[in-house]
Amino acid sequence: MSLTSDEVRRIAHLARLAVDDREAEGFAAALSDIFDFVEALNNADIEGVAPMAHPLDAEQRLRPDRVTESDQRERFQDIAPAVEGGVYLVPRVIE
Amino acid sequence: MEWETVIGLEIHAQLNTASKIFSGAATAYGAEPNRQACAVDLGLPGVLPVLNEAVVRKAVMLGLALEAQIAPRSVFARKNYFYPDLPKGYQISQFELPIVARGHLEIELDDGSRKRIGVTRAHLEEDAGKSLHEGFGTMTGIDLNRAGTPLVEIVSEPELGSAREAVAYMKKLHALVRYLDICDGNMQEGSFRCDANVSVRPAGESSFGIRTEIKNLNSFRFVERAINFEVERQIELIESGGTVVQETRLFDPDRDETRPMRSKEEANDYRYFPDPDLLPVAIHTEDIEAIRAEMPELPDAKRERFVRDYALSPYDAGALTATRDLADYYEALVAACGAPKLAANWMMGDFTAALNRSELEVGDSPVAPAALAQLLARIQDATISGKIAKEVFDAMWAGEGDADAIIAARGLKQITDTGAIDRIIDDVIAANPVQLEQYRAGKDKLLGFFVGQVMKKTQGKANPAQVNERLRARLRGD
Amino acid sequence: MTLDTLSGWARRLQAGEISSRELTELYLDRIDRLDPGINSFVTVTREQALAAADAADQRLAQGERAPLLGLPVAQKDIFCTHGVRTSCGSRMLDSFVAPYDATVVERMNAAGAVMLGKTNMDEFAMGSSNETSYYGPVRNPWDPERVPGGSSGGSAAAVAARLVPAATGTDTGGSIRQPAAFCGVTGLKPTYGRVSRYGMIAFASSLDQGGPMAASAEDCALMLNAMAGFDPRDSTSLERPDEDFTAGLDRDLKGLRIGLPREYFGDGLHADVRRAVQDALAVLRERGAEPVEISLPNSNLSVPAYYVVAPAECSSNLARYDGVRFGHRCNDPRDLMDLYTRSRAEGFGAEVKRRIMIGTYVLSAGYYDAYYLKAQKVRQLIAEDFRRAFERVDVIAGPTTPELPFRLGEKSADPISMYLSDVYTIAANLAGLPGLSMPAGTIGSLPVGLQLIGNYFEEGRLLNVAHQFQQETGWHQRMPATFA
């Protein structure tokens, strides 16, 4: 399988990664190789096999509905790149 | 050409839990920005979600109320997209295996007939935070307090035929979630909001037209206006030779119109896959039965019971079961006063009017059921007339005390002493000889005049039936 | 003073032969002196370590006997440490000072461990050579021209060079076992769910598992006692009673059925590695173990399945690094899209980007069934292979890696050849089984690892087999001469 640079750009956009033309070509080549490699999966006999999402066959544990977390805004916002008046800042979003 | 409207609603109801769906942060509304956003809500590196038990229980209740299928095994999936109010870059939701599927809700149409609306599914998910567009210059502020608040998204079949039907469905569901006490139903705060999928097609056509989705409608009125506008817009567009574009639109209540939403322009590819941080949610038959056992009586059943037990008309029973608080108030009132019809009339009349005037909810009423029952008892035992009772009620509402105290303080007790009434009647007759003559000459209508005069002299405290009876006798000259 | 093992130091601390402060200073000095040659630490927390050591000495003086009390350890820089930078080997988190401890860190602190610092690793644990770290490659103490393996290469190299007696690692496709093999130390990946993932920065959530790396199986058992245990903050944490993993170390191996998968001794295996592994197996046989030839027929599909599942999960797990709440943010973003794409392009290195791209692709519309769903089904086949095998055998044994530690840069241009370096380790992650690697011999100066894979919850058994082997052999005691 061979990926085009355009497909790489579409994927990079979905993943929100800036790529320049040179990188796009590099990704196209590397990803094509990898997808060729995983083609081996097509040889598996998976007829009737249930997909396995988790290693353990267990069910979700439930947490009691209690408030256990206290306000730590200052601590959490100490590590934030841009805050003002307790809110995180991003370039203007238009809805 | 005749057009037919097809509407499906996606309603997001916030579940009224103390803590969030996957974290122990509080869900209370109105905190300062980001003070209720813990490490899990912020999506900090390494943190993990753990599911809130109450969320599952409330979703199962909803499923039972919708007579839906409760999935013995449901799965949380990640819906991947980037947006600043979505901290992890994905929303934990349910995709292929929702917790509730294939239910229905019956609505009443304007002509009194009933229509069953299919509920495709109801799934659990986490709410996103809020973007604040004002006050940060060229920037947008992000408040993540709401991030992680539990939501149930209830998706209807495209079976609603008009804006009126859509509103009826939404109101019915609104009452239901409040009955179940799974959502506070506060639409201003966004606890109950709706996306409407709207399309039109020529009447009789079986395939669907191209639909648009109107996002984030947070009042019944907006739902009705937005859908009506959108239906008109689509019909005009098609009739003038255009085609509807499948898109997401926002309703602008100030201009009373919908317009395309810019941020949703690009096609999304959400890359759903099972969330590896969460295991399948198992709901066993015994869990369902335990939840069923603690379910409150539902609106439709309650309405039927009110008709049966209290001999109310279906209309009255419907009005009194519109909300659980109203119905609970009514039942407490009937239990205390033993007069279902009188209680119903009072609640739908003066009580509701007073609530509306004061802009209060039933639960905030300054007059408790026991207090109102005392007032109604004084009507029944003829201590006061119905008319005087209205005055007493207003005084009770204003906080002047209980019915008996107000009746005593204002001297409103009915005059039942026949002699005293007779004396007043005699005075009235003596003071109006002309009218007496006319009455005796056959002008029966003047009885009302005399009653009025007597009541005036007694300041309304005479028993009207007694006054009538005594007056007739005296006027005849007995 | 001669260098001892973690268990040895524990005995000496409790006997009062040495204080925790002396021990801590001893290792801090070794780090100062010797780490510049191998770059195994990204952060050394000298002050905190000495304070913790003093506190431990007081507790020891009062007769307290917490399992790791006063013992120096290192944390892989993937575990969040409150107040200490947690970089995950990435520029993205170069400035990230975690506001909380990972459960593993919390548990080890509670057990009295003294953290000396944070060890280097492949960026976001994606790599098999420790060359993808933002902080530069780690060098193999046995040969500085060679890689230590990855992604827990810093922990492996630090333990091998005796810069710390024990360290934590994480293993998503072999990231504890492969560097343990390359560096000649013992490392254990527990059953999925045994060790809490809370505060352990996620790579691929359904595969990631933390575990110990140390000089011996006995030391790993001591570490695992502190690391493992139910954690209500991790939905995938196992609700099982705590176990003492040191309790079964001395069991003999008579009658132990050791499965030797035909597929693990095939064409791809380096002849010298094969010989060393067979010699090691002979030792186990002498101690009463019975070899049984088995087959894991879908082994060849494990690497392809992994390179769909792991990138898919990683593409989603790494979406939170968006420059908004923490981590790297680009300068002067033009608009929101620019903030996202540039912060992420600048913050992530090439291998991480490559995996995000793979994962985004395999989950995208139209490809989910062809890749992701298919890989999950193959994952089931691989797990079934093991289920069948464990009906016949108690443990499975084979080489940890197909070849010896390779040279720095040797595989950088060819991702797939790098990926194949985990060909024998990945299957245990896909199935969720415990796996251990221990030194089984040397080729020249380079160590060779023997891998043991156990059935679910059988970590105790793996540690027992390894300990018995280490009673008989001295491979685990060897250390690179330049670090003596």
Side-chain angles (χ1 to χ4, degrees), chain C residues 236-307:
Chain C
T236 61
S237 173
L238 289 166
E239 267 181 296
R240 292 173 70 87
D242 283 352
E243 258 177 61
D244 178 2
F245 295 100
T246 62
L249 292 175
D250 294 328
R251 276 171 70 182
D252 68 42
L253 301 185
K254 281 202 187 63
L256 181 84
R257 297 165 302 168
I258 297 189
L260 306 176
R262 180 179 315 136
E263 296 78 8
Y264 287 21
F265 294 87
D267 285 343
L269 182 60
H270 189 287
D272 291 340
V273 176
R274 178 197 309 268
R275 203 172 317 115
V277 166
Q278 275 163 350
D279 289 349
L281 291 169
V283 174
L284 293 175
R285 212 163 31 236
E286 279 160 30
R287 289 186 79 97
E290 296 163 10
V292 180
E293 193 182 316
I294 59 165
S295 172
L296 300 169
N298 293 292
S299 293
N300 62 328
L301 295 176
S302 64
V303 182
Y306 177 87
Y307 277 95

Side-chain angles (χ1 to χ4, degrees), chain B residues 39-40 42-50 78 80 82-84 87-90 139 144 266 269 271-274 276-279, chain C residues 80 96 100 197-201 205 232-236 313 316-317 319-321 325-326 329 336 340 344 360 363-365 368 372:
Chain B
V40 173
L42 295 175
L44 294 186
V47 300
L48 295 169
V50 184
R78 293 184 181 179
N80 294 283
F82 285 87
Y83 205 69
K88 300 185 294 297
Y90 58 84
M139 307 294 270
L144 296 171
E266 70 178 277
D269 183 345
R271 291 160 283 137
Y272 281 100
F273 75 107
D277 287 332
L278 292 158
L279 298 167
Chain C
C80 285
F96 178 67
Y100 44 81
R197 292 187 298 115
Y198 191 88
M200 183 180 111
I201 297 177
S205 311
R233 291 182 295 184
D234 175 0
S235 293
T236 61
E313 293 183 12
S316 177
N317 282 335
R320 68 188 60 198
Y321 305 101
R325 297 162 318 285
F326 52 82
R329 178 179 179 121
L336 183 65
Y340 283 155
R344 290 166 60 78
T360 304
L363 290 175
S364 67
Y368 181 88
Y372 185 75

Side-chain angles (χ1 to χ4, degrees), chain A residues 13-79:
Chain A
H13 176 70
L14 268 180
R16 298 294 186 269
L17 288 170
V19 289
D20 59 27
D21 289 349
R22 200 180 47 84
E23 283 174 301
E25 277 171 33
F27 276 130
L31 265 58
S32 298
D33 284 353
I34 291 161
F35 289 123
D36 282 343
F37 174 69
V38 304
E39 285 292 303
L41 295 175
N42 292 330
N43 304 328
D45 181 9
I46 50 168
E47 184 76 22
V49 176
M52 178 171 167
H54 284 283
L56 299 171
D57 187 23
E59 52 192 58
Q60 178 62 35
R61 186 164 20 84
L62 302 178
R63 171 179 67 77
D65 181 25
R66 276 202 301 270
V67 176
T68 53
E69 302 303 310
S70 53
D71 171 27
Q72 300 187 59
R73 187 175 83 180
E74 281 67 28
R75 196 156 131 199
F76 292 149
Q77 294 195 343
D78 270 355
I79 53 170

Side-chain angles (χ1 to χ4, degrees), chain B residues 106-125:
Chain B
E106 217 169 63
I107 59 169
E108 192 161 299
L109 306 184
D110 289 339
D111 65 3
S113 64
R114 291 169 85 81
K115 180 175 176 184
R116 176 182 275 215
I117 307 299
V119 173
T120 319
R121 57 188 276 155
H123 66 254
L124 291 169
E125 60 186 27

Side-chain angles (χ1 to χ4, degrees), chain B residues 342 346 371-396 402-416 455 459-465:
Chain B
L342 181 65
W346 266 83
L372 185 53
Q374 189 187 59
L375 177 66
L376 301 193
R378 292 301 161 263
I379 298 171
Q380 288 175 282
D381 67 12
T383 305
I384 52 171
S385 66
K387 190 153 172 269
I388 291 289
K390 288 174 192 294
E391 182 189 335
V392 178
F393 178 76
D394 287 343
M396 290 166 68
D402 68 17
D404 286 345
I406 291 165
I407 291 166
R410 297 193 175 188
L412 297 174
K413 194 169 180 333
Q414 274 188 157
I415 302 164
T416 46
M455 292 308 279
Q459 292 166 311
K461 288 184 283 185
N463 181 320

